């Protein structure tokens, strides 16, 4: 039996010397101090809208209710949302506003509430979701994250999150540090994916094919980094399971600081993406989605 109130309290207490994410930078966010993620105790949201562009079971026919949070625990040089994640675009909202956003999105018919870049706001998400459920929120809650997650934080989100949509960005720490500024991504990310799978299992859908519960793992294929992709897919196939739903993304484009890195300063080639798709097939990862490279 999950004690949601106790878990929410524990999550909030993790903000005193912040250990919400694996950076564990120790900022006293509860007293208004900002951590490495540029976030203190107040909630900043960039947008709340119906999103049609997610994976088919997520957006389905009526869209996903996406709430984009400002700032991020990672500093990815190629971030396509960098004005929001790195430049803090967004406006301050209260916890009550967050609850209202969720209920309003549900009233607009969305299939789920999709918290985008949620990690640093885990306490507020757990609390607002708890209140929203009491007020009639019925749709699944989706945690759309970088995959760089603290296990203790994830355990405290058990029962709050129905669908995890994490990235597996890297399969070696050197690359993770070079592009995202974190030192221990691989071990942390892999443990986080296993914890998510343990909590919610493989993706399950309703009669109409709409996601209800489970994990979908996303991987963005980066130009000049095909070995990174192959090792990431190997981990999924061998250590999560061959039936894991994988979203293999081809939508890389140069953004933010990517031009500082020669290999990232161009588009992904058709050949690179096809090699990634072939490897996905070789590993028998048959569940999920690939994209067409324009
Ligand atoms: S969530 Fe932000 S403040 Fe907390 S440990 Fe991570 S980077 Fe630091």
């Amino acid at each position: 039996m999950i004690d949601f109130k106790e878990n929410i309290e524990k999550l909030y207490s993790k903000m005193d010397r912040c250990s919400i994410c694996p950076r564990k930078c120790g900022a006293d966010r509860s007293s208004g101090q900002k951590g490495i993620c540029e976030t203190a105790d107040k909630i900043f949201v960039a947008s709340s809208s119906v999103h049609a562009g997610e994976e088919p079971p997520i957006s389905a026919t009526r869209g996903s209710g996406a709430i984009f949070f400002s700032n991020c625990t990672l500093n990815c040089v190629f971030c396509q949302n960098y004005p929001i994640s790195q430049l803090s675009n967004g406006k301050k909202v209260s916890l009550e506003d967050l609850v209202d956003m969720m209920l309003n999105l549900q009233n607009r018919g969305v299939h789920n509430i999709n918290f985008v870049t949620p990690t640093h706001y885990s306490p507020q998400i757990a609390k607002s979701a708890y209140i929203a459920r009491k007020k009639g929120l019925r749709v699944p809650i989706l945690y759309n994250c970088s995959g760089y997650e603290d296990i203790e934080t994830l355990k405290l989100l058990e029962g709050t999150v129905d669908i995890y949509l994490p990235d597996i960005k890297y399969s070696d720490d050197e690359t993770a540090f070079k592009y995202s500024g974190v030192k221990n991504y691989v071990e942390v990310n892999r443990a986080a994916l296993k914890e998510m799978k343990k909590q919610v299992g493989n993706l399950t859908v309703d009669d109409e094919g709409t996601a209800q519960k489970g994990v979908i793992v996303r991987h963005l294929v980066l130009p000049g980094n095909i070995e990174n992709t192959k090792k990431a897919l190997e981990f999924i196939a061998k250590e999560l399971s061959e039936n894991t739903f994988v979203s293999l993304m081809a939508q890389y484009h140069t953004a933010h600081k990517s031009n500082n890195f020669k290999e990232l300063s161009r588009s992904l080639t058709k050949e690179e993406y096809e090699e990634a798709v072939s490897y996905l097939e070789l590993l028998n990862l048959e569940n999920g989605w690939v994209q067409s490279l324009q």
Side-chain angles (χ1 to χ4, degrees):
M1 189 78 166
I2 297 169
D3 187 334
F4 287 101
K5 284 187 175 170
E6 189 182 335
N7 285 355
I8 290 165
E9 266 177 38
K10 285 182 180 169
L11 281 165
Y12 270 89
S13 73
K14 275 169 79 67
M15 290 205 305
D16 295 346
R17 292 179 58 214
C18 194
S19 60
I20 290 290
C21 89
R23 289 203 190 251
K24 299 188 192 301
C25 72
D28 184 359
R29 290 177 59 193
S30 305
S31 303
Q33 188 183 7
K34 288 181 181 174
I36 292 174
C37 60
E38 289 295 322
T39 307
D41 53 336
K42 303 289 184 291
I43 310 166
F44 285 81
V45 167
S47 68
S48 162
S49 61
V50 179
H51 196 18
E54 303 286 29
E55 285 77 2
I58 304 297
S59 285
T61 52
R62 299 191 303 275
S64 175
I67 298 176
F68 281 79
F69 289 104
S70 308
N71 301 325
C72 185
T73 57
L74 296 185
N75 303 111
C76 302
V77 295
F78 51 83
C79 183
Q80 296 169 14
N81 281 336
Y82 73 95
I84 298 170
S85 70
Q86 304 299 311
L87 306 180
S88 301
N89 283 3
K91 66 171 191 182
K92 189 164 79 175
V93 302
S94 66
L95 198 83
E96 294 69 32
D97 293 334
L98 197 52
V99 172
D100 288 345
M101 277 179 206
M102 296 162 77
L103 295 170
N104 287 339
L105 285 165
Q106 177 172 270
N107 288 342
R108 292 171 69 184
V110 298
H111 295 287
N112 46 65
I113 301 299
N114 180 353
F115 289 120
V116 185
T117 324
T119 306
H120 46 306
Y121 286 119
S122 297
Q124 294 92 335
I125 285 171
K127 189 167 183 179
S128 60
Y130 179 77
I131 297 169
R133 290 279 186 228
K134 296 259 179 231
K135 289 187 163 187
L137 185 78
R138 298 176 309 281
V139 295
I141 287 178
L142 196 153
Y143 199 80
N144 183 345
C145 63
S146 72
Y148 185 66
E149 314 299 321
D150 176 65
I151 293 292
E152 191 189 0
T153 298
L154 286 178
K155 286 183 189 294
L156 294 170
L157 289 171
E158 185 164 8
T160 293
V161 175
D162 302 291
I163 301 163
Y164 284 103
L165 189 54
D167 290 336
I168 179 166
K169 290 180 185 290
Y170 308 112
S171 47
D172 79 83
D173 284 334
E174 205 179 312
T175 309
F177 186 68
K178 186 165 64 161
Y179 296 157
S180 293
V182 287
K183 283 189 176 152
N184 51 352
Y185 182 92
V186 177
E187 185 187 347
V188 163
N189 172 245
R190 292 180 175 195
L193 297 187
K194 286 180 178 173
E195 171 62 24
M196 292 172 191
K197 193 95 187 253
K198 195 171 102 191
Q199 282 184 24
V200 295
N202 207 23
L203 184 71
T204 56
V205 298
D206 64 11
D207 293 345
E208 291 166 357
T210 307
Q212 298 299 305
K213 197 173 178 184
V215 179
I216 297 172
V217 181
R218 279 179 168 170
H219 176 74
L220 175 66
V221 184
L222 297 172
N225 280 279
I226 195 68
E227 288 309 312
N228 181 57
T229 290
K230 288 182 176 177
K231 287 187 193 135
L233 296 177
E234 280 170 21
F235 164 77
I236 296 171
K238 292 177 184 163
E239 296 193 47
L240 284 184
S241 82
E242 280 182 1
N243 65 1
T244 303
F245 282 74
V246 180
S247 179
L248 190 67
M249 300 190 296
Q251 64 205 47
Y252 177 86
H253 60 79
T254 57
H256 193 36
K257 298 177 181 171
S258 58
N259 283 334
N260 294 345
F261 298 83
K262 189 164 175 282
E263 67 281 13
L264 297 184
S265 59
R266 63 165 172 85
S267 301
L268 185 69
T269 65
K270 197 164 175 284
E271 289 71 29
E272 283 173 312
Y273 190 61
E274 282 174 357
E275 192 173 343
V277 173
S278 297
Y279 207 68
L280 186 83
E281 290 165 357
L282 186 72
L283 292 168
N284 292 320
L285 289 166
E286 291 177 348
N287 288 335
W289 306 270
V290 296
Q291 294 179 325
S292 57
L293 189 56
Q294 304 303 321

